[in-house]
Amino acid sequence: QVQLQESGPGLVKPSETLSLTCTVSGDSFSTYYWSWIRQPPGKGLEWIGYIFYTGSTNYNPSLKSRVTISLDTSKIQFSLKLTSVTAADTAVYYCARHWGSGYYVDYWGQGTLVTVSS
Amino acid sequence: DIVMTQSPDSLAVSLGERATINCKSSQSVLYSSNNKNYLAWYQQKPGQPPKLLIYWASTRESGVPERFSGSGSGTDFTLTISSLQAEDVAVYSCQQYYSTPYTFGQGTKLEIK
């Protein structure tokens, strides 16, 4: 059974960098696409971007200038960095696995709330 | 970007009755080369991550009760719960994975009448 777990600070100051890590267990990175998806309080889901096990990435153009997703295959972890955050970046951040060639999400982490506030 | 629009935003249905949620995409998510609709449905209960219910618009995920079904093609899709149970109270969202950026509908909140 695949499990994903997000970790990182729950509070980030405006203009600073949000950094989260997703640890994967029960599977390897091979052949899958791994995403970060966020959900502002009371709102819908927003795809941030994904990384393929080869290291290639694809980001949402709305966030592309501020986002970096990377992976550490030895630790079976992938990470999110979002720079220059504002209150609008306050959200529950989920890491997720896509089935197949970047299709639907079949596994989600539990999510972690990140609040941007001074 | 493909915009996903769900209707209604909220819905109240009596136990045992049918619930129908609609999802419309701003462009077709039907891939002609394989005749598959790149459309998924998720269920999200408070404090939990989304759970995959339906993929390829109409394929039920393993373990999902048969009362959940998906239909539609091209730009218009429907999630139907044939006989509402108390545990079905949740927010339901559609998602297109036809092209990036992947996009989700705004969600439909389903409640018991």
Side-chain angles (χ1 to χ4, degrees), chain A residues 9-107:
Chain A
L11 180 64
V12 182
K13 290 183 169 54
S15 79
E16 296 190 345
T17 298
L18 179 159
S19 296
L20 295 174
T21 297
C22 181
T23 302
V24 179
S25 59
D27 201 352
S28 68
F29 275 135
S30 297
T31 73
Y32 292 110
Y33 288 76
W34 304 87
S35 271
W36 286 97
I37 296 166
R38 71 181 183 178
Q39 186 171 37
K43 295 187 177 181
L45 296 155
E46 180 183 30
W47 176 74
I48 298 170
Y50 67 53
I51 187 164
F52 191 39
Y53 78 103
T54 57
S56 65
T57 55
N58 188 328
Y59 301 135
N60 192 323
S62 68
L63 297 168
K64 188 174 183 177
S65 63
R66 300 193 291 131
V67 171
T68 303
I69 298 176
S70 59
L71 62 81
D72 184 336
T73 55
S74 65
K75 295 181 180 178
I76 318 184
Q77 293 178 334
F78 63 106
S79 299
L80 168 70
K81 289 190 187 301
L82 182 66
T83 62
S84 304
V85 298
T86 71
D89 296 309
T90 293
V92 175
Y93 286 76
Y94 295 100
C95 57
R97 190 189 85 169
H98 293 267
W99 184 88
S101 299
Y103 299 141
Y104 50 86
V105 174
D106 59 354
Y107 288 98

Side-chain angles (χ1 to χ4, degrees), chain A residues 39 47 58 94 102 104-105 108-109, chain B residues 42 44 49-50 52 55 100-102:
Chain A
Q39 186 171 37
W47 176 74
N58 188 328
Y94 295 100
Y104 50 86
V105 174
W108 298 75
Chain B
Y42 301 91
Q44 188 175 20
L52 177 67
Y55 54 93
T100 59
Y102 301 137

Side-chain angles (χ1 to χ4, degrees), chain B residues 8-51:
Chain B
D9 289 335
S10 63
L11 180 63
V13 175
S14 300
L15 290 173
E17 296 299 305
R18 179 186 299 263
T20 301
I21 298 169
N22 301 301
C23 175
K24 188 175 184 68
S25 57
S26 61
Q27 63 187 75
S28 177
V29 297
L30 174 63
Y31 196 35
S32 56
S33 66
N34 59 11
N35 202 36
K36 285 182 179 290
N37 287 283
Y38 284 49
L39 189 285
W41 288 98
Y42 301 91
Q43 175 193 66
Q44 188 175 20
K45 297 182 179 180
Q48 296 184 19
K51 172 189 173 184

Side-chain angles (χ1 to χ4, degrees), chain B residues 63-74:
Chain B
V64 172
E66 291 185 3
R67 63 181 181 273
F68 290 91
S69 63
S71 63
S73 185

